[in-house]
Amino acid sequence: MQKTDAQVVIIGGGIAGCATAYNLARRGVHALLLERTTFGFEASGRNAGGVRAQCRDTSTDRLLAMRSIELWQTLHQTLETEVEYVQGGTIRLAANEERLADLQAQSEEELADGLQVEMWNPEQLYRHSPFLAAGFIGAKYCATDGVANPKLVAPAFAATAARLGARTWEHTEVDAVLTEGGKVVGVQAHNKEGEWTIETPLVVHAAGPWTPQLSSNLDITIPMRPSRTIIARTEPTRPMFTEFISSHDAGVFARPDKRGSIHIGAVGRSLSDFDEVTDADIHAYVEQRVNLIPALGEVDIAEVWSGTLAMTPDSQPVMGRVDGLEGYILAAGFSGHGFCLGPAVGQQVSELILDGESSLNLDAFALSRFEEHTEFTTDSRQGTG
């Protein structure tokens, strides 16, 4: 058994864990970041790439997204690498009066929080987006939303953290979090170099849908389940739009990338397992793209991939300290909309550690909220980045 120590151990090399390692390192705390595969390999690198503040469940979630978008705008400079961030806006469509009323109600909440959104009637919508399928009766638009390349961001955070002094171990699996007297004292892990005991007083657990498995050994129950989503990418095609466009009524979203391809995915459809195989039957769902943008039916699909998300009962993340175990912080369960939040999550978790509290109030994300409510629900606002 080999031994080492760290001021902080971060379990999970997705965007939340990598951004936390970076934010700690830039303030002089050199964490040990552990990832069982490679940085950004799981959901943080296999999502829709949405960077949106509109259509968030709660004011807390929305304010966190707005803070994150501020960070996204200079992230390529911060990380000294391209992350393909484009602030092209998002359009959330309505095909019936009930959906339109929901979008209107959301817009009032969003405007009250300082997020600039617009409601469009059919004339405004089709004047702006004539390529859309017929039948939509309105939309909500947010110009400050955008997209980025999921494959680039978590690895960039990890690389920058390493340059600033963090240790970053890929292909390292954590076997146990060690505790004594109600306090974290270490982590046991293994990799190709053998077994490790890592002495540490502080663990940030950001392992996505795998978080509950390790937490259960600490007698901590986290209501979280896997959810698998499928995304397709078309061959490059002529430019049609810059926005991330989604419709729960049509059951599909679409957004362009910097190479001229269109990414397409299902809205409100997921499979509750860890299997990331995409078979021929699943490919058929991408035909829904014509219900959103008919011209996409003429564009060939170049590739299809799957990713595993971590869903909580209320589709909100679990963030913050855990009552009864000193030195244990959770940052997981982002329920398919955590990619946007990543930069701000890293900032807020590092503030918890270094300042004793975060600059944004994270009480709404506390694990203790599930003491009475553990029934899983599906919210129409989620599932698109």
Side-chain angles (χ1 to χ4, degrees), residues 57-72:
D57 275 351
T58 67
S59 181
T60 303
D61 191 25
R62 185 159 44 251
L63 292 173
L64 185 61
M66 291 168 67
R67 173 70 61 85
S68 205
I69 288 170
E70 293 175 4
L71 300 172
W72 274 102

Side-chain angles (χ1 to χ4, degrees), residues 171-316:
H171 304 291
T172 301
E173 188 157 1
V174 175
D175 302 307
V177 175
L178 306 176
T179 64
E180 288 181 8
K183 298 180 180 180
V184 168
V185 297
V187 167
Q188 284 188 340
H190 68 273
N191 56 25
K192 65 180 181 180
E193 296 179 6
E195 297 183 347
W196 290 88
T197 296
I198 306 160
E199 295 181 358
T200 185
L202 187 58
V203 164
V204 176
H205 203 165
W210 294 271
T211 303
Q213 299 172 7
L214 194 59
S215 294
S216 65
N217 296 329
L218 303 170
D219 292 326
I220 295 172
T221 300
I222 305 175
M224 194 180 296
R225 68 185 183 189
S227 179
R228 179 160 52 99
T229 59
I230 316 279
I231 299 174
R233 179 182 65 81
T234 71
E235 296 288 356
T237 185
R238 61 182 175 83
M240 284 186 279
F241 56 98
T242 62
E243 299 87 359
F244 191 123
I245 303 174
S246 63
S247 167
H248 281 79
D249 303 311
V252 67
F253 69 79
R255 65 93 163 173
D257 66 21
K258 279 199 166 185
R259 295 161 185 78
S261 295
I262 307 296
H263 294 223
I264 302 162
V267 174
R269 179 183 187 274
S270 62
L271 304 172
S272 296
D273 57 45
F274 285 95
D275 184 3
E276 293 181 350
V277 174
T278 56
D279 58 35
D281 292 336
I282 295 175
H283 291 198
Y285 92 92
V286 300
E287 296 305 320
Q288 296 176 78
R289 67 192 187 274
V290 299
N291 298 328
L292 187 69
I293 301 171
L296 290 181
E298 303 171 3
V299 185
D300 291 336
I301 299 299
E303 63 175 332
V304 179
W305 65 90
S306 180
T308 304
L309 314 175
M311 305 298 295
T312 64
D314 58 5
S315 296
Q316 291 292 290

Side-chain angles (χ1 to χ4, degrees), residues 23-236:
N23 278 277
L24 290 173
R26 73 180 183 85
R27 295 183 60 182
V29 173
H30 302 147
L32 174 55
L33 175 63
L34 307 178
E35 165 55 39
R36 69 186 187 93
T37 56
T38 57
F39 299 126
F41 180 78
E42 300 292 351
S44 289
R46 299 172 180 237
N47 58 76
V51 180
R52 65 175 174 86
Q54 79 152 314
C55 294
R56 293 277 172 175
D57 275 351
T58 67
S59 181
T60 303
D61 191 25
R62 185 159 44 251
L63 292 173
L64 185 61
M66 291 168 67
R67 173 70 61 85
S68 205
I69 288 170
E70 293 175 4
L71 300 172
W72 274 102
Q73 293 180 55
T74 57
L75 197 60
H76 67 288
Q77 297 170 332
T78 299
L79 302 180
E80 299 180 5
T81 190
E82 177 62 61
V83 295
E84 298 184 5
Y85 172 66
V86 178
Q87 202 168 34
T90 57
I91 300 173
R92 187 64 67 93
L93 298 164
N96 55 63
E97 294 294 341
E98 181 180 4
R99 185 75 64 191
L100 189 63
D102 186 39
L103 292 176
Q104 178 64 52
Q106 291 173 27
S107 73
E108 294 168 6
E109 298 171 4
E110 291 161 349
L111 289 167
D113 278 336
L115 180 65
Q116 296 304 304
V117 296
E118 302 174 18
M119 290 297 299
W120 289 348
N121 61 32
E123 180 182 355
Q124 292 170 310
L125 173 61
Y126 283 100
R127 183 169 64 245
H128 182 276
S129 307
F131 51 83
L132 287 172
F136 295 109
I137 64 172
K140 182 156 62 73
Y141 170 71
C142 181
T144 55
D145 288 348
V147 297
N149 187 334
K151 295 181 180 180
L152 301 178
V153 184
F157 267 119
T160 307
R163 287 200 300 270
L164 295 174
R167 286 180 289 166
T168 55
W169 292 6
E170 295 181 308
H171 304 291
T172 301
E173 188 157 1
V174 175
D175 302 307
V177 175
L178 306 176
T179 64
E180 288 181 8
K183 298 180 180 180
V184 168
V185 297
V187 167
Q188 284 188 340
H190 68 273
N191 56 25
K192 65 180 181 180
E193 296 179 6
E195 297 183 347
W196 290 88
T197 296
I198 306 160
E199 295 181 358
T200 185
L202 187 58
V203 164
V204 176
H205 203 165
W210 294 271
T211 303
Q213 299 172 7
L214 194 59
S215 294
S216 65
N217 296 329
L218 303 170
D219 292 326
I220 295 172
T221 300
I222 305 175
M224 194 180 296
R225 68 185 183 189
S227 179
R228 179 160 52 99
T229 59
I230 316 279
I231 299 174
R233 179 182 65 81
T234 71
E235 296 288 356

